Amino acid sequence: MTLLSVRDLNVTFGTPEGDVRAVQGVSFDIEPGETVAIVGESGSGKSVTANSLLRLNFGADVRISGEILLEGRDVLTMTEDEVRSVRGSDMAMIFQDPLTALNPFYTVGRQIGEAYAIHHPGATKKELREIALNSLEKVGIPEPLKRVDQYPHEFSGGMRQRIVIAMALVNNPKILIADEPTTALDVTVQAQILELIAEMQAQHGSAVILITHDLGVVAEITERVMVMYAGRVVESASVENTFAVPTHPYTRGLLKSVKSLDTARHERLEPIPGTPPSLIKLPSGCPFHPRCAFADSLGGRCSSEAPELRIVGSSRSACHLPDERLLGLMGGAS
Amino acid sequence: MFAVVLLLIVSAFTFWIFSALPSDPAALTCGKNCRPEVIEANRERLGYDKPLVEQYGAYMKGIFAGRTYGEEGASVHCPAPSLGYSYDRHECVTSLIASTLPVTASIALGAFVLWMAIGVGLGTLAALKRGRWQDRLATGFSVVGVSFPTFFLGLMFIMIFVIWTGILPFPRYTGITENPVDWFMALILPWFVLALISAATYVRMTRNGILEVMNEEFVRLGIAKGLPRKRLIVTYVMRAALVPIVTIAGLDFAFLLGGALVTESIFNLPGLGKLTLAAVVNSDLPILVATTMVAAVFIVIANAVVDVLYGYLDPRVRVK
Amino acid sequence: MNTDLVLEARGLRKYFPTGASKMLQRPTDVVQAVDEVSFGLRRGTTLAIVGESGCGKSTLGRLLARLIEPTAGSVLLDGKDITKASSRELLALRRDIQVVFQDPYACLNPRHSIGQSIGTPIRIQKTLSRADEKARVRELMALVGLNPEHYNRFPHEFSGGQRQRAGIARALALQPKVIIADEPVSALDVSIQAQILNLMEDLQSSMGLSYVFIAHDLSVVRHIADQVAVMYLGKIVEIGDPTAVYERSAHPYTKALLSAVPVADPKGAGERKRIVLSGDVPSPVNPPSGCRFRTRCPKAEARCAAEEPLLIERESGHQVACHFPL
Ligand SMILES: Nc1ncnc2c1ncn2[C@@H]1O[C@H](COP(=O)(O)OP(=O)(O)OP(=O)(O)O)[C@@H](O)[C@H]1O
Ligand SMILES: Nc1ncnc2c1ncn2[C@@H]1O[C@H](COP(=O)(O)OP(=O)(O)O)[C@@H](O)[C@H]1O
Ligand code: SF4
Ligand code: SF4
Ligand SMILES: [Mg+2]
Ligand SMILES: [Mg+2]
């Protein structure tokens, strides 16, 4: 059975300015042990999607519809207690900012132990401490015996992210959701953390949903990529295809605007013009059309009709362009 | 250490302020039509003829060693710790304070417990039921409470509970050791008056504090770990939200110990506040110097205690 | 040396005392934010400064713009020492060196319209009349790709990228010679970063600007810089033109920094050998003796702890501070 199956997820926040349609019609499957990236610019709905999986979207007026089937059980229709038993045990989460993610008032050992104790009510104090020590050691914190009784502020950002990871893995989750786990870190520390996540995944066999805006990070450790734009999945493909044969103009734009270590000096970048749309007043039809270089070539279709995800080559793309053109996007002809 | 230095500075400053006032303390020792010789004699007797520094020295010495005013015959001895002699009341200031302090302490303690319970309780309720009627009620209460003058609320309470309904007797202070029930009955109205007014601020502080903490990433991670809601609220949210409140409360409590002027006067309670007020009216300088200093001592001590407490509550400020 | 240096740093140093409010603090506790930094910026070119968080990049930037006073050393603008400038000279100097910040909010007053904010330097320097100022601001807005009709809008009505454009327009208002850009694109979305980088390059070639470009993203730097300086704990450990620094990097730190950059190419990712540095940057309060990088350096030897490596020229214009360069 598919481990996680998200079907037609819609999330809308009611705000005084109007309804924010943060996620629209998102569907995807996660198989055991695989690594899937969700990529997109800020505000594209990545975090809202991730939070929905654990029902962590809070707010005065949150409207969610669709299905989130974890081994066949719909997270969205579970009781509060049922969701709680899923959180941190079947699906665990790592947040972006390690500096604020740990409770400043308790020692890291206690917090790791707590993560275990919540789902293992019988555990003794001694067991919990043992578990905390082991976890710290596993994620590469030196001197765990001394460190286990220290408070979060006594650790650097990179170490705190290691501790958050230790905590997330303490119950052997089937799915690890990492929401921009390295965005707040330096490149050298980012490399450490990505390596750790990959290592831990190999050990635990968890599936990983990695959220990021950095295509470089995607290429490093994932197998499959979903590109989000304005609350929708616009392309879904293997990581190789995403980079070699992107099948959506937005993905192409992202790739073209990334600077790489070997772009020559003063080689011109090709930015995507304009800015991402407001989710309160989304453009009609394809939400990307005001910024898309290809929109004109399709007459008025892009601004009147919203494209659905469909199979293009071995990828899936939500664009009206004919398949041949989508498969030749990187070839130049625009 | 630092606290002691601070206290010395505060006492010297208080002393200096009051002696710099235009009124002549010696002239106040006897009535309006006092003969100059009496004034002069009293001046000498009370030590007001000496230079200021010497007066301060004698005063400080008095605190540790006690002090005798005047020559033998007409002398008065105030044993250590002597805070001066009130020529208006013909009594050692220390014993005046000793008799009024328990009253103020009783008022402060009860009011403090009540206001923390009401303030933190309602504030928490409001935060947890944000946007619902409980929240609106609590917020309304805090708006009304803040804008009520103490004397008005006090008088209203007396009208309602004592004069109209007669549920309570008119407050007459009785020591707790003498008759705990009377003590309680006398203090319940002042407690509520003070508590309701201070609680208003604490409702708002608690509510905002909790709502702020609820948006913190570590609380979201707590939820993502699967923490039950009750435990999350108590060990994560309340814990973090109450730290700043506890520290402010400590200082407010100390301030209250310095005397609740208006409340004590309305309810006719013989506490420090009333003593101070009477001293102001009668220009009774020794008492004013002493009560100011006592209040300062409480605040300095409270500061020190709060600092220690803060370090205990928040590991981030703990010194290694 | 080179007469075509528009900006030069000589032995720049900035020490911050820590715990300033505590009376009993030992006076020896100082953050060595920038230590003995020297380099020259050629006219019309870009010098990039890269390094991990806290290594002193922003402090160096602020020293160059003379927003803070150096503890020692000097900054020369067109050969003139600006660290000794009088307050009147300083005002003139502000015209020649402008700063662009990471967070464009930092220099945009939320209560002023975007047009007013862009015109602020003109008003301070009183170089133009009010009417001319408005015209000039509109010109600047058009120059950086903002709609001049949005003159009266407020910062919150603009997107991050547009605010950064406004920040750049403001920096250009007085026609400076040098712009110090402190991570100007770090806070922006990928698709917007490229817009801003292109804009900065266009402005450079049309106005002959010189940039000091601070970044933690090595890939941005490769693209925009003529010279790259790698900093570690307040010191420059390697400096040279991008090809030298990127392709013939000789300092172990530069190597590690480069290998840590995730590459947007899934094929390369698996094959690449990666040097993962252990641990974090040590505290700049008591930096390691000798070579500051030795606590994390895979090549460190006894000599590294005893003796501080000097910045030595390896090939023309490529300097490295390491006892055992690669
Ligand atoms: N005003 C100050 N007082 C004390 N220390 C300071 C001050 N400003 C900076 N520092 C310290 O100096 C060091 C260098 O800081 P700086 O801001 O220059 O780093 P940076 O390289 O720009 O880092 P980032 O990449 O995070 O922007 C840091 O350790 C910092 O804490
Ligand atoms: N609680 C909320 N109330 C209103 N809007 C929200 C809320 N949470 C998220 N949003 C909006 O939803 C959109 C998607 O947000 P998010 O998923 O966090 O983006 P990202 O892709 O950067 O993670 C944004 O426009 C954001 O402002
Ligand atoms: S549907 Fe039209 S506007 Fe949207 S991405 Fe495709 S070509 Fe561009
Ligand atoms: S001097 Fe030594 S420690 Fe420093 S970088 Fe070179 S080899 Fe490493
Ligand atoms: Mg996000
Ligand atoms: Mg900086």
Side-chain angles (χ1 to χ4, degrees), chain C residues 303-324:
Chain C
R303 185 176 164 204
C304 305
E307 192 185 327
E308 184 176 337
L310 300 174
L311 207 53
I312 293 170
E313 187 135 317
R314 262 173 79 82
E315 51 186 316
S316 165
H318 182 193
Q319 300 176 319
V320 180
C322 172
H323 294 309
F324 310 104

Side-chain angles (χ1 to χ4, degrees), chain C residues 6 54 59-60 79 110 150 182 195 238 272 299 323 325:
Chain C
V6 58
T59 308
L60 178 58
H150 294 169
D182 190 350
Q195 296 176 1
E238 179 158 9
R272 232 157 20 100
K299 294 192 65 196
H323 294 309

Side-chain angles (χ1 to χ4, degrees), chain A residues 41-48 51 96 179-180 211:
Chain A
E41 298 179 74
S42 76
S44 57
K46 308 180 297 289
S47 299
V48 172
N51 291 336
Q96 171 171 345
D179 190 351
E180 311 222 15
I211 293 171

Side-chain angles (χ1 to χ4, degrees), chain B residues 118-318:
Chain B
I118 298 174
V120 173
L122 270 183
T124 309
L125 184 74
L128 297 185
K129 304 275 174 185
R130 182 181 185 181
R132 286 193 245 160
W133 65 267
Q134 293 96 326
D135 184 17
R136 258 170 262 140
L137 188 79
T139 318
F141 164 81
S142 84
V143 170
V144 174
V146 169
S147 50
F148 255 82
T150 318
F151 73 89
F152 183 68
L153 193 65
L155 290 178
M156 221 169 72
F157 271 26
I158 293 182
M159 291 285 273
I160 296 173
F161 293 105
V162 180
I163 298 177
W164 290 348
T165 59
I167 299 173
L168 292 169
F170 193 84
R172 262 205 51 219
Y173 184 77
T174 320
I176 187 169
T177 43
E178 288 168 44
N179 186 340
V181 176
D182 282 357
W183 174 81
F184 186 82
M185 294 300 258
L187 289 175
I188 185 152
L189 282 184
W191 283 342
F192 266 101
V193 169
L194 281 171
L196 287 181
I197 282 163
S198 304
T201 323
Y202 281 76
V203 169
R204 212 172 21 193
M205 274 199 306
T206 310
R207 177 181 182 272
N208 294 351
I210 287 182
L211 289 179
E212 211 171 279
V213 175
M214 293 242 241
N215 280 325
E216 298 258 2
E217 194 97 324
F218 73 83
V219 172
R220 291 215 307 138
L221 191 64
I223 300 172
K225 273 160 95 172
L227 266 179
R229 188 172 158 83
K230 261 201 206 113
R231 227 164 96 202
L232 183 90
I233 299 287
V234 175
T235 59
Y236 276 52
V237 180
M238 297 282 279
R239 170 80 205 255
L242 287 186
V243 169
I245 292 178
V246 164
T247 53
I248 298 173
L251 296 182
D252 275 357
F253 179 60
F255 201 71
L256 201 57
L257 275 181
L261 262 82
V262 179
T263 314
E264 288 177 17
S265 307
I266 291 173
F267 293 101
N268 198 24
L269 295 166
L272 267 181
K274 196 148 176 275
L275 181 69
T276 310
L277 207 61
V280 170
V281 172
N282 302 327
S283 302
D284 195 341
L285 286 189
I287 291 184
L288 284 180
V289 172
T291 50
T292 310
M293 244 148 69
V294 168
V297 169
F298 281 135
I299 286 170
V300 169
I301 291 176
N303 251 313
V305 171
V306 159
D307 272 357
V308 173
L309 202 63
Y310 200 81
Y312 174 74
L313 287 175
D314 192 338
R316 282 167 297 186
V317 299
R318 231 172 266 173

Side-chain angles (χ1 to χ4, degrees), chain A residues 41-42 156 186 188 190 192 195 216 219-220 243 259 261 263 265-269 271-275 291, chain C residues 52-53 159 189 191 193 195 198 201-202 219 222-226 246 262-264 266 272 274 276-277 279-280:
Chain A
E41 298 179 74
S42 76
S156 69
D186 270 317
T188 55
Q190 164 167 294
Q192 296 169 7
E195 191 157 281
E220 290 285 319
F243 286 88
K259 307 98 350 199
L261 278 179
T263 19
R265 161 77 175 125
H266 299 313
E267 183 184 306
R268 228 165 145 74
L269 301 170
I272 304 173
T275 49
R291 303 174 76 189
Chain C
E52 285 173 278
S53 179
S159 70
D189 269 319
S191 73
Q193 286 189 4
Q195 296 176 1
N198 277 352
E201 295 225 78
D202 293 345
S219 33
R222 176 76 198 251
H223 172 78
I224 198 167
D226 298 288
Y246 281 60
V263 177
R272 232 157 20 100
R274 160 169 288 169
V276 175
L277 288 181
D280 304 288

Side-chain angles (χ1 to χ4, degrees), chain A residues 28-154:
Chain A
F28 58 89
D29 291 330
I30 305 282
E31 303 297 337
E34 72 170 339
T35 309
V36 177
I38 304 181
V39 205
E41 298 179 74
S42 76
S44 57
K46 308 180 297 289
S47 299
V48 172
T49 304
N51 291 336
S52 306
L53 304 181
L54 283 175
R55 287 217 332 235
L56 291 174
N57 283 317
F58 306 109
D61 181 7
V62 188
R63 282 162 258 154
I64 304 188
S65 68
E67 284 179 340
I68 296 174
L69 301 170
L70 176 67
E71 297 180 319
R73 296 158 66 215
D74 189 354
V75 174
L76 294 181
T77 58
M78 285 181 183
T79 64
E80 204 41 57
D81 273 345
E82 284 168 335
V83 185
R84 233 181 5 79
S85 69
V86 169
R87 289 179 186 150
S89 78
D90 293 309
M91 291 197 264
M93 193 129 179
I94 306 170
F95 291 122
Q96 171 171 345
D97 188 358
L99 295 185
T100 54
L102 291 166
N103 189 333
F105 300 104
Y106 301 121
T107 63
V108 298
R110 175 171 168 173
Q111 292 186 58
I112 296 174
E114 181 183 65
Y116 184 82
I118 293 167
H119 301 287
H120 301 84
T124 64
K125 271 219 157 105
K126 220 173 124 233
E127 280 168 1
L128 292 180
R129 194 177 163 80
E130 208 48 45
I131 284 167
L133 282 170
N134 278 337
S135 312
L136 286 178
E137 178 148 26
K138 231 170 36 188
V139 296
I141 303 275
E143 300 179 83
L145 261 176
K146 178 180 137 207
R147 293 301 214 158
V148 73
D149 293 319
Q150 291 187 336
Y151 291 89
H153 71 273
E154 297 171 74

